[in-house]
Amino acid sequence: MTDATTGGKFDLACTAVGFNFLSPEVKTAMKVSLPVLQGEYGFAKMYLWGKLKGMTADYLIAVGVMHSLKEPTKKYFYCSDGATWAQMPEPESPIVEACRKIPTNVNLNGDPQFQYNIKTEVPEGEEPPENEEELDVSITEDVRVAFIVKEIEGAIAMIPAGAIVPEPKLGIPMINSMFTGLAQEESLALTSWELLSGLSASQQLAGSLKAKYIPAHDLTVLRSLLWPGFAAYTVPRSSTWGYVYVGDGKKNDDIAFSLP
């Protein structure tokens, strides 16, 4: 996530993924639209999550939080122009399972209302319906986009260890005001990072990340081989950190061939 609350530090996200994925017009639009969205919903912060690429248009993804990125109630939004945002749907379990049946080689179309027709299976122990069409499920692309975002977020979203901690009285995960950043050497070590679930990145993602320090930008970047297009980043010795994803939403199932 790139903090979009204070003018939008979008250049850090572009540096992290290795190219400028935002046009000047989109950056300008987001610097106006995201603070407005934040005010409408009463969020404490807005973040740019990244971009999902479609065949006819791309989806910019943003997130609003009341406390921090670890809270389960954060809200996701999408748009194509950086200005007109729509809240992302929250698919329930049966729809999530239907989304998993969409072949992974099927690209996003770019139209939020594009329809995917999926044949579901009869649950074990239940009688099949007389009309087989009752097993057909129709899913709009905005639902599929929500599914992909949650999949990536749950699998690889990471932050510097200690950057978000439980509030002492209520236990709500909050930005740690005492967090002053990681030293340069620390920032390159997976042991200094954790998933949003709190699990250690070194235990869950060992061998699937490439870490490097970029002196020209004083930026440490960890790029994923498992989810190409994902990058976590931090400015050493500071409280500036984030993560971003720019890609087609496809997992690299051939990661073994990507490893040195």
Side-chain angles (χ1 to χ4, degrees):
M1 303 284 182
T2 297
D3 190 346
T5 303
T6 54
K9 301 173 183 177
F10 304 128
D11 290 341
L12 287 180
C14 293
T15 300
V17 295
F19 62 96
N20 191 357
F21 66 94
L22 299 169
S23 69
E25 294 79 13
V26 166
K27 286 182 183 179
T28 299
M30 288 197 300
K31 287 179 180 179
V32 175
S33 66
L34 288 179
V36 171
L37 193 64
Q38 177 186 355
E40 289 178 351
Y41 283 81
F43 295 128
K45 279 184 176 291
M46 290 294 307
Y47 294 90
L48 175 65
W49 187 88
K51 178 192 283 188
L52 283 173
K53 297 179 180 179
M55 292 187 293
T56 62
D58 299 330
Y59 295 94
L60 292 164
I61 311 295
V63 183
V65 304
M66 295 297 183
H67 303 288
S68 76
L69 291 170
K70 282 191 174 185
E71 68 188 44
T73 55
K74 57 191 173 188
K75 303 294 184 185
Y76 296 83
F77 300 84
Y78 69 90
C79 74
S80 60
D81 59 3
T84 311
W85 298 91
Q87 186 171 340
M88 199 175 287
E90 298 182 12
E92 296 181 353
S93 180
I95 299 299
V96 168
E97 292 308 311
C99 285
R100 295 190 194 279
K101 294 183 180 295
I102 300 174
T104 55
N105 63 346
V106 174
N107 293 323
L108 289 169
N109 176 277
D111 175 3
Q113 296 309 308
F114 180 81
Q115 297 275 339
Y116 297 88
N117 295 312
I118 302 160
K119 181 75 71 177
T120 61
E121 298 176 357
V122 179
E124 187 176 348
E126 294 186 13
E127 292 290 329
E130 292 183 7
N131 185 353
E132 288 191 4
E133 291 184 0
E134 293 181 23
L135 293 174
D136 294 342
V137 175
S138 183
I139 294 174
T140 53
E141 185 158 278
D142 59 347
V143 172
R144 186 186 180 199
V145 167
F147 165 75
I148 292 172
V149 168
K150 291 292 185 70
E151 283 284 286
I152 296 172
E153 183 92 339
I156 192 122
M158 69 181 78
I159 63 173
I164 297 176
V165 295
E167 190 272 336
K169 291 185 178 179
L170 300 176
I172 298 171
M174 305 281 287
I175 296 292
N176 184 3
S177 60
M178 303 298 289
F179 180 75
T180 57
L182 303 172
Q184 183 182 322
E185 286 190 9
E186 285 182 314
S187 67
L188 290 165
L190 277 186
T191 51
S192 299
W193 295 79
E194 66 179 20
L195 301 182
L196 290 184
S197 63
L199 296 174
S200 168
S202 62
Q203 293 178 355
Q204 301 297 312
L205 303 171
S208 68
L209 294 165
K210 285 188 175 181
K212 73 174 184 176
Y213 174 69
I214 306 174
H217 298 277
D218 189 24
L219 191 69
T220 295
V221 177
L222 285 76
R223 292 176 181 157
S224 175
L225 300 174
L226 187 61
W227 290 95
F230 176 89
Y233 60 88
T234 186
V235 175
R237 305 169 303 281
S238 83
S239 59
T240 298
W241 53 267
Y243 58 85
V244 62
Y245 176 84
V246 181
D248 55 15
K250 296 177 183 177
K251 185 178 180 181
N252 177 18
D253 291 321
D254 298 322
I255 185 173
F257 300 102
S258 303
L259 299 176

